[in-house]
Amino acid sequence: MSPITLTLPKLARRIPLFAALNATDWERIAYYMTLRQFRRGEYIFFEGDKPISLYIIWNGKVKLVRHSSSGRDVVLAVVGTGRLLGDIALFQNCAYTSSAQALDKTSILILRREQVFQLMGKYPAISKGIILDLSRRLHTVSDLVQSLAVDRVRQRIIRILLKLAKAAGKETPQGIILDIPLTRQDLADMTGTTVETAIRVMSDLRRDGLVCTEQGRILICDIETLYMIAEDEL
């Protein structure tokens, strides 16, 4: 692990949790934190482990997966810079409900559990930042539950593609490529549908020239139209 040498302005731009801190407070907090590099495919923590630290993505992308009884990984989400990992398990002092795996070379800020609670008591800005982050994620979960209840499958798949483009997309001359391994089963699991339906919807999107496949990855060829479709179908 490496000591933290990040300046507050650079940090605040990447990590909303620390945006309200002043430079003096950050220097004091940085003393307790470490920065660790994870290789592509390396696990940050495993489902079922007891939480010992708060993890904050400084750079890179992480997928959250749940291991099924059949041995297959179910992708729950793909998250990027600024996202907190393992915080709910940490605050509830319960086992992780999913595993976190680096999708590429990823830098993670690490703060030990006991230090998290000490700093939350000493620096109200940290507590406020964590509450805001949890509130945003609760809102996201609420939107997902509503979407599963009332939205058509095409809508849900398009929204997931747009979220993945934001979290794990790379600009290319042909469009935005989702730089993650994503199977039809993953899409089905993430949108609450069957593999057959996910295949049919993706085939329709390919036929319309909105997506295609590039070197085993999904390429979004016309993201503007996807956004328009997602909004029109609300």
Side-chain angles (χ1 to χ4, degrees):
M1 296 186 180
S2 305
I4 301 300
T5 57
L6 308 171
T7 63
L8 181 63
K10 185 176 181 181
L11 183 89
R13 285 195 298 272
R14 282 180 170 264
I15 314 294
L17 174 63
F18 300 121
L21 292 174
N22 59 46
T24 300
D25 287 345
W26 165 242
E27 288 176 2
R28 291 170 179 164
I29 291 172
Y31 174 80
Y32 297 99
M33 302 188 74
T34 52
L35 182 65
R36 179 177 170 185
Q37 306 290 336
F38 290 84
R39 301 183 303 275
R40 179 186 180 96
E42 188 175 0
Y43 280 90
I44 299 158
F45 55 77
F46 290 94
E47 177 182 345
D49 286 352
K50 290 287 288 184
I52 58 173
S53 298
L54 177 67
Y55 301 93
I56 309 166
I57 303 175
W58 167 251
N59 189 45
K61 296 182 289 292
V62 173
K63 71 174 179 179
L64 302 176
V65 298
R66 184 167 293 165
H67 309 296
S68 69
S69 57
S70 64
R72 186 176 61 81
D73 287 345
V74 176
V75 179
L76 302 178
V78 174
V79 294
T81 299
R83 173 67 185 268
L84 308 185
L85 299 173
D87 49 329
I88 294 177
L90 184 102
F91 297 133
Q92 292 184 336
N93 195 26
C94 62
Y96 294 120
T97 57
S98 61
S99 300
Q101 184 181 25
L103 283 171
D104 52 18
K105 185 178 179 181
T106 300
S107 302
I108 302 286
L109 292 168
I110 301 175
L111 185 60
R112 299 283 294 183
R113 183 176 189 273
E114 60 273 14
Q115 294 160 349
V116 172
F117 290 106
Q118 290 174 7
L119 294 174
M120 286 177 65
K122 190 172 183 179
Y123 300 98
I126 295 292
S127 297
K128 182 179 179 181
I130 290 174
I131 291 171
L132 289 175
D133 181 80
L134 291 173
S135 297
R136 283 192 293 267
R137 286 160 57 189
L138 179 61
H139 182 72
T140 299
V141 171
S142 177
D143 286 346
L144 176 59
V145 171
Q146 180 180 352
S147 177
L148 290 172
V150 302
D151 293 340
R152 294 189 293 272
V153 175
R154 174 182 167 93
Q155 235 180 306
R156 301 203 298 266
I157 288 179
I158 287 175
R159 288 181 179 177
I160 284 295
L161 291 175
L162 293 173
K163 287 180 180 179
L164 291 174
K166 184 176 181 180
K170 287 189 177 180
E171 295 276 357
T172 73
Q174 293 75 34
I176 299 177
I177 193 164
L178 305 185
D179 192 29
I180 55 173
L182 190 68
T183 67
R184 296 183 180 97
Q185 183 68 61
D186 291 333
L187 274 179
D189 292 336
M190 296 172 76
T191 54
T193 189
T194 64
V195 176
E196 293 76 16
T197 301
I199 291 172
R200 175 177 56 78
V201 172
M202 290 300 292
S203 295
D204 290 343
L205 295 177
R206 288 189 181 90
R207 181 199 62 210
D208 295 338
L210 301 176
V211 303
C212 62
T213 302
E214 183 79 18
Q215 297 180 346
R217 299 289 192 265
I218 294 175
L219 176 69
I220 297 178
C221 306
D222 190 347
I223 195 167
E224 290 81 7
T225 298
L226 285 184
Y227 272 113
M228 289 175 60
I229 293 172
E231 293 173 0
D232 289 344
E233 294 189 357
L234 291 176

